[in-house]
């Protein structure tokens, strides 16, 4: 049974962000009980609804069928405001007056084009927090450059450190910079909120997504700073580990990951596998024959079930994990026991699984209170109850295209 969460009850966030990084940061705060009001427009909607729009896509409600969008925007409300229209911009500033935080992850040139900035937000709300999440930060010669999570990862230097010695630059993920940027953004907002609650002061938080990835590349940066040389790329191997790799098991695309980084681990592994692994001798001696050990382990696991190997090795204290497919994860008994998956009915797509937040304050996960909102779903609720706008004025705004609940192709 999931728990209702009130950790950030009373905190209001105006969320201008799009894609993955910004919406992931605000989703974490929504999961913690903050009221997150997502602001899109009918012509400039969140691009995670779709990379591009067509009239056919609009008519088939394609804007509401993106799994990516629906995953990172749960527990939020959604309104549409055309920020390029003076009345849309004015309504945004009225909304900011009621908020604790504004979040945006546009490239550096977007807010100035809209005549918006931290100073303008602060005129509306003196203690406002603005979190900006451009790829390269808000200052410096790259401030206005655009990037996705993939280009952010390349700029961090991580692909220069990943992979094997003769590989080309090797990425961890199609968009690792987004995911790390989102989590870094959530942490930054919590720090700023603590400062706001203790001092009554707002602040501008300038978050560079590239710089957020540097801790993952710290071993390479530090080695070069100390020696003038980049570390050799060693694939899965790292540091003092004798065994550190992913080995094929029985069946298609079935693997087990193992790490053996101490003499005790090695002794337990050699005893469990037996000949010919035990012939390699003590830990310090065996370290000189890593390639041969890899070959023996590959032969040993090739005809075994990956999950059985995992349980066998975990049982003797060896860190081991079978790689899981999507189906495996949805049916994993450990995650089921923790109540990890929660299901929400979502308009246009039906019942959808949602992963619970990975943090909790008791045994039960926090509740996922609502699925991702449809475009402009909460226009009336927010405009009426938060901004005090009457029905007649809402109708007028709709007729002008300042608000709406359907995507619209921009006029040529």
């Amino acid at each position: 049974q999931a728990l209702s969460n009130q950790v950030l009850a009373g905190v209001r966030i105006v969320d201008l962000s799009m894609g993955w990084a910004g919406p992931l940061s605000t989703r974490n705060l929504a999961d913690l009980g903050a009221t997150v009001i997502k602001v899109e427009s009918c012509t400039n909607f969140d691009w995670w609804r779709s990379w591009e729009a067509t009239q056919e896509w609009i008519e088939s409600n394609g804007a509401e069928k993106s799994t990516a969008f629906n995953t990172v925007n749960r527990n939020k409300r959604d309104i549409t405001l055309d920020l390029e229209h003076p009345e849309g911009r004015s309504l945004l500033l009225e909304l900011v007056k009621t908020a604790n935080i504004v979040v945006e992850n546009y490239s550096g040139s977007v807010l100035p084009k809209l005549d918006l900035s931290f100073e303008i937000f602060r005129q509306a709300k003196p203690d406002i927090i603005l979190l900006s999440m451009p790829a390269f930060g808000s200052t410096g010669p790259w401030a206005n450059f655009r990037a996705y999570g993939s280009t952010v990862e390349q700029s961090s230097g991580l692909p220069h450190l990943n992979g094997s010695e003769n590989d080309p630059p090797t990425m961890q993920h199609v968009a690792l910079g987004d995911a790390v940027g989102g989590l870094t953004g959530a942490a930054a907002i919590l720090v700023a909120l603590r400062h706001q609650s203790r001092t009554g002061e707002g602040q501008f938080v300038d978050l560079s997504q590239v710089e957020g990835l540097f801790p993952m590349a710290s071993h390479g940066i530090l080695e070069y700073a100390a020696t003038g040389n980049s570390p050799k790329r060693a694939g899965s191997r790292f540091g003092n580990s004798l065994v550190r790799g992913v080995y094929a098991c029985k069946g298609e695309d079935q693997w087990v990951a193992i790490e053996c980084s101490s003499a005790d681990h090695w002794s337990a592994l050699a005893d469990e596998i037996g000949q010919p692994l035990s012939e390699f001798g003590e830990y310090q001696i065996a370290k000189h024959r890593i390639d041969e050990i890899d070959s023996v382990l590959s032969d040993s696991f090739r005809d075994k079930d990956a999950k059985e190997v995992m349980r066998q090795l975990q049982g003797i204290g060896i860190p081991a994990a079978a790689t899981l497919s999507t189906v495996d994860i949805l049916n994993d008994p450990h995650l089921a026991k923790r109540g990890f998956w929660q299901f929400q009915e979502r308009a246009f797509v039906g019942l959808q699984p949602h992963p619970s937040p990975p943090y909790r304050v008791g045994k039960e996960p926090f509740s996922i209170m609502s699925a991702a909102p449809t475009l402009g779903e909460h226009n009336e609720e927010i405009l009426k109850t938060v901004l005090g706008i009457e029905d007649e004025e809402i109708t007028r705004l709709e007729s002008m295209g300042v608000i709406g609940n359907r995507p619209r192709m921009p006029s040529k």
Side-chain angles (χ1 to χ4, degrees):
Q1 181 66 41
L3 297 177
S4 178
N5 177 37
Q6 298 296 314
V7 174
L8 293 181
V11 172
R12 179 174 290 162
I13 300 169
V14 175
D15 184 5
L16 304 177
S17 68
M18 298 183 178
W20 189 358
L24 179 61
S25 67
T26 53
R27 189 195 79 179
N28 274 276
L29 303 176
D31 289 344
L32 288 168
T35 298
V36 176
I37 302 173
K38 185 175 181 66
V39 180
E40 306 177 72
S41 84
C42 292
T43 53
N44 290 299
F45 42 83
D46 189 331
W47 59 267
W48 253 27
R49 291 184 181 274
S50 177
W51 286 91
E52 56 183 331
T54 64
Q55 193 59 44
E56 292 77 13
W57 173 82
I58 292 172
E59 291 170 0
S60 67
N61 296 305
E64 308 304 343
K65 298 175 181 178
S66 165
T67 301
F69 176 89
N70 292 340
T71 299
V72 296
N73 287 291
R74 70 188 188 206
N75 285 341
K76 301 180 186 180
R77 291 171 170 81
D78 190 288
I79 67 170
T80 51
L81 292 174
D82 182 355
L83 300 183
E84 295 181 296
H85 191 286
E87 292 197 47
R89 179 182 177 278
S90 177
L91 286 169
L92 174 70
L93 292 176
E94 290 300 310
L95 189 60
V96 169
K97 289 180 181 179
T98 74
N100 301 89
I101 307 160
V102 177
V103 176
E104 63 93 8
N105 66 337
Y106 304 139
S107 61
S109 63
V110 173
L111 282 187
K113 288 180 181 177
L114 298 171
D115 191 23
L116 295 171
S117 65
F118 176 56
E119 292 304 321
I120 290 172
F121 291 140
R122 193 161 61 170
Q123 289 172 19
K125 182 80 183 303
D127 66 345
I128 197 70
I129 297 164
L130 172 62
L131 172 66
S132 288
M133 303 175 62
F136 304 104
S138 297
T139 60
W142 286 23
N144 291 334
F145 286 3
R146 300 180 180 185
Y148 295 111
S150 53
T151 40
V152 165
E153 183 178 348
Q154 296 286 352
S155 300
S156 75
L158 266 178
H160 177 69
L161 300 169
N162 294 335
S164 299
E165 190 170 2
N166 297 319
D167 287 347
T170 304
M171 293 174 62
Q172 295 266 35
H173 186 275
V174 66
L176 183 68
D178 281 322
V180 175
L183 297 177
T184 306
I189 291 172
L190 291 174
V191 173
L193 272 173
R194 188 167 188 261
H195 176 80
Q196 186 188 63
S197 68
R198 294 174 69 182
T199 67
E201 298 175 352
Q203 57 187 309
F204 172 55
V205 182
D206 176 11
L207 190 153
S208 163
Q209 293 185 45
V210 168
E211 292 169 26
L213 279 176
F214 285 163
M216 292 186 164
S218 59
H219 60 293
I221 296 170
L222 290 174
E223 182 163 335
Y224 183 82
T227 69
N229 298 311
S230 295
K232 289 184 177 180
R233 302 165 73 204
S236 297
R237 294 171 186 168
F238 183 75
N240 201 41
S241 296
L242 173 55
V243 176
R244 191 175 191 268
V246 182
Y247 300 90
C249 295
K250 183 174 64 175
E252 183 178 356
D253 204 26
Q254 300 295 308
W255 306 80
V256 65
I258 304 170
E259 179 154 10
C260 175
S261 55
S262 71
D264 288 342
H265 284 164
W266 171 246
S267 178
L269 183 64
D271 287 346
E272 184 72 16
I273 302 298
Q275 300 286 355
L277 197 64
S278 56
E279 294 179 356
F280 290 98
E282 299 295 325
Y283 184 74
Q284 293 299 330
I285 299 173
K287 284 175 66 174
H288 300 289
R289 302 175 66 184
I290 291 177
D291 289 339
E292 296 172 74
I293 291 170
D294 267 346
S295 179
V296 169
L297 291 175
S298 295
D299 290 341
S300 177
F301 300 141
R302 185 172 289 115
D303 295 323
K304 295 181 179 178
D305 179 80
K307 294 184 179 66
E308 289 181 6
V309 173
M310 174 186 74
R311 289 188 287 268
Q312 174 190 6
L313 297 182
Q314 286 180 349
I316 59 171
I318 303 294
T323 60
L324 300 181
S325 68
T326 305
V327 173
D328 290 330
I329 292 172
L330 283 170
N331 295 286
D332 183 72
H334 170 74
L335 296 178
K337 188 72 174 179
R338 283 177 56 81
F340 178 73
W341 293 109
Q342 299 182 48
F343 286 79
Q344 282 284 339
E345 190 74 26
R346 171 61 161 74
F348 303 103
V349 294
L351 197 64
Q352 298 290 301
H354 286 268
S356 295
Y359 40 79
R360 54 186 72 182
V361 296
K363 291 185 177 180
E364 305 302 328
F366 295 131
S367 293
I368 297 168
M369 305 303 293
S370 61
T374 57
L375 186 69
E377 178 179 346
H378 302 97
N379 281 345
E380 287 197 20
E381 173 191 327
I382 300 301
L383 294 178
K384 285 182 177 181
T385 63
V386 178
L387 300 184
I389 294 177
E390 302 293 338
D391 287 341
E392 184 176 311
E393 178 67 1
I394 291 175
T395 300
R396 187 183 71 85
L397 291 168
E398 287 176 341
S399 68
M400 296 168 59
V402 175
I403 65 174
N405 57 17
R406 294 272 289 180
R408 195 170 61 244
M409 297 295 289
S411 57
K412 295 181 180 180

